[in-house]
Amino acid sequence: MEKRVTFKGWLLPMALIAPQVFISAVFFFYPAAQAVWQSLFIPDPFGLSMEYVGLGNFEFLFADPFYRASFVTTAIFSTLVTLVSMVPALFLAVLADRLIKGAGTYRTLLIWPYAVAPAVAGVLWLFMFNTRIGVVSFYLGQLGYDWNHVLNETEAMGLVVVASAWGRISYNFLFFFAALQAVPKSVIEAAAIDGARFWRRFFTIVLPLLSPTTFFLLVVNIVYAFFETFGVIHTITLGGPQQATTILVYKVYSDGFVGQDLGSSAAQSVILLFVVGLLTVMQFKFVEKRVHY
């Protein structure tokens, strides 16, 4: 029989949820409302006056080829970051689950990169691939490959993807490893007795049982790629070359803080919020149907 907590009055439950409501209102709902309001105006850079333009900022954005290109860049970037961070994490989690000697040390070393902030991770990878003093770029030159992410758009995208996914692998590893620990060993042993090899057991038994964790990480990593990779891009490429790494969240910054086009920047933040919300709803509506709880 399910146990439920009951309160004699409304004062205590309201007091318990008040901190979360306050934080959400101050740091989410109020800024979101301000962004919607400012997207309807063109303010001057000093904030002294505003001109009402209605949906003019949105019309200008969708007519801008650079802004439309940032949608494609964001889609490519978020897809690559999600794949590059989740697939190796699952592979490492499987190895850690099978490892017997030194398992604790192995898991600790895999978790460490998660403690590195995105901006710091961007600086680390920038130093390694710097065209003048980078260790990796030096050895690539020795092999005859001229690495230059400052000019090459493909190399720039590859570098920010790897730098963004590097620290995220540790986060995904923790969840995959915990999920693997929860898989019933008796089911796997029964399949092994029936003659199923390791990879067959993994794809037919283990992977379906990991689907709730995989779905959760899919949603979380896409949101991460949309919002939390700003520091990596800002430290490595500044959105270049030729805006090849300018994703939606970075364009909000570059147009608002660098270009001082605050109305357009506010409209972009509203569109970004709508896109991420739509993607999340679609994932829960269509992808979750394939999840086995």
Side-chain angles (χ1 to χ4, degrees):
M1 186 175 180
E2 184 181 358
K3 295 182 179 180
R4 294 186 178 182
V5 178
T6 58
F7 297 93
K8 295 181 179 179
W10 58 270
L11 186 60
L12 179 58
M14 291 297 293
L16 292 175
I17 66 173
Q20 182 61 47
V21 172
F22 175 77
I23 293 174
S24 299
V26 173
F27 295 102
F28 179 75
F29 292 110
Y30 177 73
Q34 283 289 100
V36 174
W37 173 257
Q38 292 180 2
S39 67
L40 304 176
F41 295 86
I42 297 181
D44 65 75
F46 301 100
L48 300 176
S49 62
M50 294 191 301
E51 179 184 354
Y52 178 77
V53 294
L55 299 178
N57 286 321
F58 296 93
E59 295 174 357
F60 170 78
L61 286 176
F62 288 111
D64 182 10
F66 291 105
Y67 184 68
R68 294 199 302 268
S70 67
F71 272 91
V72 180
T73 303
T74 304
I76 296 173
F77 175 77
S78 58
T79 302
L80 291 177
V81 169
T82 302
L83 291 176
V84 174
S85 62
M86 289 185 63
V87 175
L90 178 58
F91 176 73
L92 294 172
V94 171
L95 293 181
D97 188 49
R98 291 169 57 87
L99 193 63
I100 299 176
K101 293 183 178 180
T105 304
Y106 178 73
R107 292 194 292 266
T108 302
L109 293 175
L110 285 175
I111 295 170
W112 274 0
Y114 182 59
V116 180
V120 178
V123 172
L124 292 175
W125 285 87
L126 177 62
F127 271 111
M128 288 191 294
F129 284 89
N130 188 279
T131 54
R132 294 184 179 181
I133 61 174
V135 176
V136 178
S137 60
F138 171 78
Y139 284 109
L140 288 175
Q142 295 295 311
L143 296 175
Y145 185 83
D146 184 19
W147 173 273
N148 193 342
H149 65 274
V150 179
L151 300 177
N152 191 298
E153 298 178 2
T154 304
E155 293 175 357
M157 176 60 76
L159 181 56
V160 294
V161 166
V162 173
S164 300
W166 172 67
R168 205 65 183 177
I169 291 175
S170 302
Y171 178 86
N172 297 333
F173 166 80
L174 288 173
F175 283 90
F176 277 131
F177 182 74
L180 286 171
Q181 294 287 300
V183 174
K185 302 299 180 183
S186 59
V187 178
I188 300 177
E189 291 171 357
I193 294 174
D194 290 339
R197 296 184 179 273
F198 172 76
W199 289 112
R200 183 174 178 81
R201 297 197 303 269
F202 177 78
F203 285 108
T204 58
I205 299 175
V206 177
L207 196 58
L209 293 176
L210 294 180
S211 58
T213 303
T214 305
F215 174 70
F216 165 76
L217 291 177
L218 178 66
V219 175
V220 170
N221 281 279
I222 289 178
V223 174
Y224 163 80
F226 266 80
F227 289 104
E228 299 181 39
T229 53
F230 170 85
V232 175
I233 294 176
H234 189 61
T235 53
I236 296 179
T237 64
L238 294 173
Q242 296 295 320
Q243 299 193 16
T245 57
T246 300
I247 61 175
L248 290 173
V249 68
Y250 193 81
K251 190 161 180 59
V252 171
Y253 161 79
S254 61
D255 287 358
F257 289 88
V258 179
Q260 291 296 305
D261 190 355
L262 302 180
S264 174
S265 178
Q268 291 179 44
S269 63
V270 173
I271 295 173
L272 179 60
L273 181 64
F274 175 78
V275 170
V276 174
L278 181 62
L279 285 175
T280 305
V281 170
M282 290 177 61
Q283 287 173 342
F284 275 93
K285 185 175 180 59
F286 299 107
V287 180
E288 193 182 24
K289 291 181 179 180
R290 300 179 179 272
V291 176
H292 303 280
Y293 291 99

